[in-house]
Amino acid sequence: MNQNSKRNFYIMISFALIIFGRFLPLPEGMKPAGMTVTGIFAGSLLLWLTVAIDWPSLLCIAAIGMIPGIGFKGVFLSSFGNETFAFLMCTFMCTYVLSETPFLKRCALYFITSPMAKKGPWMFIISFLTAIICIGCFVSPTVLFVVFLPILEKINEILGLKKGDKIGNMLMIGLTFAVSVSAGMTPIAHVFSIMAMGFYTTATGLTIGYAQYMVFAIPVGIICIVLLLLMFRFIMNPDMSQIKNIDISFLKNELKPMEKKEKTILAVFCLVVALWVLPSLLKEIFPAVTQISRMGTAMPPMLGIILYSIISFDGKPLLNFAEGMKKGVQWSSIIMAAGTLAIGSAMTNGNVGLADYLINVLSPILKDINPMLLVVAFTAWACIQTNFSSNMVTVTVVTTVAIPLVQATNGAISCPAVVAIIGMMSAYAFATPPAMPHVAMAIGSGWSDTSSVMKYGLIFMMFSIIVTVIVGYPIAAMLM
């Protein structure tokens, strides 16, 4: 069967599930609308995994709009009208403005040309990974990888490395893995954690604060990076003599001093980040700041877009709005986010009754199960699936299943903690080319290969699961 035949086959099966799923026999206690939503979810999931993520999301939204009790006004409100959709669009625009400046490269060179980086080969590797993690907390993984790739190419050139050398392979794997870890450490400019938090809000009416998320996700990320270094040192164990006396300080000469325009762009971006984070941190000291968080997560980046569009240098605004919408916004990801938000809302809709059905069926089964086994199961599920399929599909599927299951434990497991972990784990994608675009780019660069990325990726994946369960969940459960 050729590629086009496979595509048509998957589309045919998906449409059959979406259209005729409602006619399947109803399990006892399930409403007809629940079976309809289940069929739509199954058909959409098959398309997301095999065909595309953009137009199947529109199909998913249209199919849900046909359900009595939801309708098109309801589904548009839960998808395109959801705060998460506006947040992602505005955040992509803000990070686009920042990425057009030399600031990210300036930060990267600051770390890898620091005095600490010159103290030895492993200190250089630590500085290199630290730079990726620090910058990656605030920018999208693809942008981060594109910023660091030419810097890494220059480092390899200075070292005289050739493609296939063990050190070059290690540096590329380090870049690839660290980019993914940084994407899970904060919700700032990162889709997956925001989607998980949005699903939780839709299902429960409650919110997970940015600070609450970062207080557990950042320590997990740091510990994972330490374990990555140990893996390099004791498992990969390359000969580091070539990197012994590396000094790349001259690369800083390529950068001009920071101008007023770059400083202004950075100041606005810092304001956006502050409006996200500070309300959660200062609410006990200054209760009035909670008024800011009540405005929602989309308000700060929207304010940033407005400021970037107003402030101008040399007669040009900091943000060319049309260009930002075209080049800065990852529309396929946002359209899929709208589709997954719609299906998540439909599954928890009272008229559909699917969540209530799952809770009623599963509560008797789960009462005798050790709660920590569920935490391990959802953490491992999210981490394994995200390394072999779409991150957005992972966060959608695992969160949709997890919320009613965890609620059925009657508080034995922290639901917001599990949801936040799923969002974080969905970003920990580094073992195979389909995991994230930058993984495919890393393999395509020639400095690494599929077998090396998968081998060390699977080892690192196990480290990530263990750290998340042992360290991440207890912290998250205590704070949420």
Side-chain angles (χ1 to χ4, degrees), residues 24 31 56 158 215 358 443 449 477:
L24 293 174
K31 295 180 180 179
I158 294 168
V215 167
L358 290 174
I443 294 171
D449 57 81

Side-chain angles (χ1 to χ4, degrees), residues 89-101 104 138-140 143 189 265 269 308 318-329:
M89 184 181 71
C90 295
T91 302
F92 280 137
M93 294 274 278
C94 285
T95 53
Y96 167 74
V97 178
L98 185 66
S99 67
E100 290 294 292
T101 71
L104 299 179
F138 304 99
V139 298
S140 71
V143 171
I265 290 173
F269 192 83
Y308 283 142
L318 295 175
L319 170 64
N320 181 319
F321 194 88
E323 186 178 278
M325 290 288 280
K326 181 179 179 180
K327 297 181 179 179
V329 180

Side-chain angles (χ1 to χ4, degrees), residues 74-317:
V75 76
F76 288 150
L77 186 62
S78 65
S79 55
F80 300 112
N82 190 288
E83 180 186 27
T84 302
F85 184 88
F87 165 85
L88 292 173
M89 184 181 71
C90 295
T91 302
F92 280 137
M93 294 274 278
C94 285
T95 53
Y96 167 74
V97 178
L98 185 66
S99 67
E100 290 294 292
T101 71
F103 178 73
L104 299 179
K105 185 176 181 181
R106 199 183 301 279
C107 291
L109 291 177
Y110 170 80
F111 282 98
I112 61 178
T113 60
S114 65
M116 185 181 80
K118 299 174 185 177
K119 290 184 178 180
W122 287 108
M123 293 307 294
F124 176 81
I125 300 298
I126 291 172
S127 300
F128 180 68
L129 295 179
T130 301
I132 299 167
I133 288 295
C134 290
I135 300 171
C137 286
F138 304 99
V139 298
S140 71
T142 303
V143 171
L144 180 65
F145 186 85
V146 169
V147 168
F148 269 88
L149 184 58
I151 296 174
L152 180 57
E153 294 272 6
K154 192 68 177 178
I155 291 171
N156 290 338
E157 180 185 330
I158 294 168
L159 293 173
L161 298 177
K162 297 179 181 178
K163 293 182 178 180
D165 288 351
K166 209 168 185 179
I167 293 180
N169 188 21
M170 182 186 70
L171 288 171
M172 182 56 72
I173 289 176
L175 170 59
T176 306
F177 290 12
V179 165
S180 295
V181 170
S182 69
M185 291 172 67
T186 75
I188 301 167
H190 301 133
V191 177
F192 320 119
S193 52
I194 286 298
M195 285 180 64
M197 294 159 72
F199 291 143
Y200 178 73
T201 299
T202 300
T204 66
L206 304 173
T207 58
I208 300 172
Y210 274 41
Q212 290 175 307
Y213 179 92
M214 290 189 289
V215 167
F216 98 87
I218 290 176
V220 169
I222 292 172
I223 294 171
C224 286
I225 290 299
V226 171
L227 292 175
L228 178 63
L229 283 163
L230 293 175
M231 183 178 74
F232 286 160
R233 176 64 182 86
F234 296 105
I235 298 178
M236 184 176 280
N237 193 25
D239 179 7
M240 300 295 283
S241 58
Q242 286 179 277
I243 204 171
K244 191 172 182 179
N245 298 310
I246 185 171
D247 185 359
I248 55 173
S249 300
F250 71 91
L251 291 178
K252 292 192 292 186
N253 298 331
E254 299 176 4
L255 294 173
K256 298 179 181 178
M258 189 179 286
E259 298 177 348
K260 188 177 180 180
K261 179 180 178 180
E262 184 180 347
K263 292 178 181 178
T264 304
I265 290 173
L266 179 60
V268 172
F269 192 83
C270 288
L271 172 64
V272 172
V273 173
L275 290 175
W276 274 326
V277 177
L278 291 182
S280 298
L281 295 176
L282 301 178
K283 62 181 179 182
E284 301 297 333
I285 305 173
F286 303 107
V289 299
T290 57
Q291 296 296 327
I292 297 174
S293 57
R294 288 172 186 168
M295 296 179 188
T297 57
M299 182 278 291
M302 187 175 291
L303 175 63
I305 288 177
I306 294 170
L307 292 175
Y308 283 142
S309 299
I310 292 174
I311 301 170
S312 62
F313 284 83
D314 301 324
K316 295 182 180 180

